[in-house]
Amino acid sequence: MSNTEHRCGWVAMMGPPNAGKSTMLNAYLGQKVAIVTPKPQTTRNQVSGILSSPDSQVIFMDTPGIHQLRGKMNKILLQTAWHTLSGADVVMVVLDGSLYVDRPGAFDKDIEPLKEAILNEKRAVVVAVNKVDKFRDKAKMLPLLEKLSALWPNAEVFPVSAMRRDGLEPMLEYLKKHLPVSEKLYPEDQLSTVPVRFMASEVVREKLFMELRQELPYNCAVEIEKWDDTGERVFVNAVIYVSRKSHKSMVIGKQGQNLKKVGTEARKELQEMLRQKVHLELWVKVREGWTEDVSFMRLLGLSSS
Ligand SMILES: Nc1nc2c(ncn2[C@@H]2O[C@H](COP(=O)(O)OP(=O)(O)OP(=O)(O)O)[C@@H](O)[C@H]2O)c(=O)[nH]1
Ligand SMILES: [Mg+2]
């Protein structure tokens, strides 16, 4: 293919929390770039992954889930998602298809905040109806696929399973076709735009999400305070900020159990990621009411503006 036909551009991955956006990003890249948990509102930043091939470079932008929750942090998460959409060449909506087949009532609530914006889109739109692996009888999905095609006639609907990497190829072909003709923007071997320190803080946050119950994970933020690479070993100090005094002991757990487990899991993953020995220390600090403190959240890199 001649150079003039090389395509390159940005795909915004939008959708309700827990739909599988981050799983989709990782599936396309064949490597973990974004953290994934069974809890909603895991992603808090725009996380980009770069998929290069001889004829194209697709830059996927994962976003926080679109929700209707209150609070300053939730507002910032929404701003990040919409801001990402504004910078995209092509729009991808990721939905949990299995959820709407099992609980049709969830559909309207999830779709409402996206409905008009997607309908008025002038750019190409794909709708990834995800988690089809949950159905043995695929025909169960058909009414949902038809409903979405009717709701958004401007969109191309693809049933997929990000987890099993099923159905991703046709959607990728469609995305590529709708990207602008352009030279690549990043070197071919670059997988992400995310700095490694941010990735490390995310890995710690993922383990906190997995380990902690109820509202606790939502009141935790992670910042890397020290990063010292001796060549032989990387010494990392991460601070876990909690928003209330009472949360500190809950995050630490009885005899430090929670923190120990989070530390062990995170260190294992960081060692694999960095292909280096890692010494990880976790500290819990109270930052009263940080989830309502916009300037602090900016410092943590949580704001897109
Ligand atoms: N069965 C099944 N589960 C999936 C699939 N894709 C994602 N999941 C699961 O759905 C949950 C949420 O996945 P995420 O990728 O974190 O979802 P997200 O849309 O990024 O969520 P937020 O960051 O919270 O907005 C995780 O438990 C995933 O393992 C899929 O294709 N099939
Ligand atoms: Mg996510």
Side-chain angles (χ1 to χ4, degrees):
M1 195 174 272
S2 73
N3 271 348
T4 51
E5 282 173 307
H6 186 280
R7 290 182 183 266
C8 175
W10 306 81
V11 177
M13 306 169 88
M14 309 284 291
N18 218 37
K21 301 177 293 297
S22 303
T23 307
M24 184 86 72
L25 173 71
N26 295 340
Y28 271 125
L29 298 184
Q31 205 169 310
K32 182 167 167 180
V33 170
I35 61 169
V36 168
T37 82
K39 297 192 170 91
Q41 267 141 323
T42 299
T43 304
R44 288 185 187 161
N45 296 73
Q46 188 230 292
V47 176
S48 298
I50 305 156
L51 183 64
S52 299
S53 59
D55 64 348
S56 68
Q57 187 166 66
V58 187
I59 307 153
F60 291 100
M61 299 185 286
D62 187 14
T63 66
I66 301 285
H67 55 76
Q68 291 168 316
L69 300 169
R70 291 189 190 163
K72 292 242 171 69
M73 176 157 68
N74 287 322
K75 203 172 154 198
I76 286 182
L77 299 187
L78 285 179
Q79 278 169 355
T80 300
W82 291 116
H83 180 76
T84 303
L85 178 67
S86 70
D89 297 301
V90 178
V91 181
M92 180 195 290
V93 180
V94 183
L95 302 173
D96 178 345
S98 68
L99 176 68
Y100 308 136
V101 172
D102 290 340
R103 283 178 36 213
F107 183 84
D108 286 345
K109 190 175 135 269
D110 274 1
I111 297 298
E112 189 53 38
L114 289 160
K115 205 160 107 184
E116 288 301 311
I118 296 303
L119 194 57
N120 294 329
E121 262 307 330
K122 298 280 177 286
R123 297 165 287 189
V125 180
V126 299
V127 179
V129 181
N130 193 26
K131 309 197 188 181
V132 296
D133 57 280
K134 285 200 176 176
F135 296 104
R136 224 182 264 161
D137 178 11
K138 302 282 181 257
K140 269 191 162 178
M141 306 286 293
L142 288 176
L144 175 64
L145 301 180
E146 280 163 14
K147 193 173 172 178
L148 286 163
S149 300
L151 175 73
W152 291 321
N154 54 330
E156 196 70 23
V157 179
F158 293 89
V160 297
S161 166
M163 200 172 74
R164 298 255 171 95
R165 296 197 202 172
D166 259 354
L168 300 188
E169 241 354 272
M171 189 159 67
L172 180 63
E173 284 313 310
Y174 188 90
L175 291 171
K176 280 184 187 175
K177 257 193 244 156
H178 290 84
L179 291 178
V181 173
S182 150
E183 279 306 299
K184 55 179 178 286
L185 292 169
Y186 294 97
E188 255 162 58
D189 58 355
Q190 188 172 341
L191 200 71
S192 174
T193 56
V194 169
V196 69
R197 281 168 78 129
F198 172 76
M199 291 274 290
S201 71
E202 286 288 90
V203 168
V204 174
R205 207 165 60 76
E206 181 186 72
K207 306 311 172 202
L208 286 168
F209 256 66
M210 301 302 279
E211 202 50 41
L212 303 175
R213 307 269 158 261
Q214 292 163 349
E215 290 309 301
L216 266 186
Y218 301 104
N219 290 294
C220 288
V222 179
E223 190 183 31
I224 303 297
E225 227 182 28
K226 183 181 115 177
W227 185 279
D228 187 10
D229 187 348
T230 63
E232 218 174 278
R233 197 178 278 258
V234 190
F235 290 85
V236 182
N237 283 8
V239 177
I240 300 162
Y241 289 104
V242 292
S243 63
R244 268 186 245 158
K245 252 193 199 143
S246 59
H247 287 167
K248 185 168 173 173
S249 57
M250 287 155 89
V251 169
I252 293 170
K254 266 191 205 138
Q255 289 156 347
Q257 266 177 358
N258 289 348
L259 212 56
K260 207 167 161 190
K261 185 136 183 246
V262 168
T264 308
E265 298 282 318
R267 181 173 50 82
K268 257 197 259 169
E269 193 167 320
L270 290 177
Q271 290 193 158
E272 273 172 35
M273 196 175 98
L274 302 167
R275 296 197 189 93
Q276 229 174 331
K277 284 264 182 229
V278 170
H279 180 93
L280 175 66
E281 275 184 39
L282 300 179
W283 303 88
V284 183
K285 284 189 188 168
V286 181
R287 175 92 191 192
E288 204 73 47
W290 75 260
T291 56
E292 293 297 312
D293 181 348
V294 175
S295 41
F296 182 67
M297 286 188 275
R298 277 222 179 97
L299 278 179
L300 285 176
L302 270 185
S303 173
S304 56
S305 56

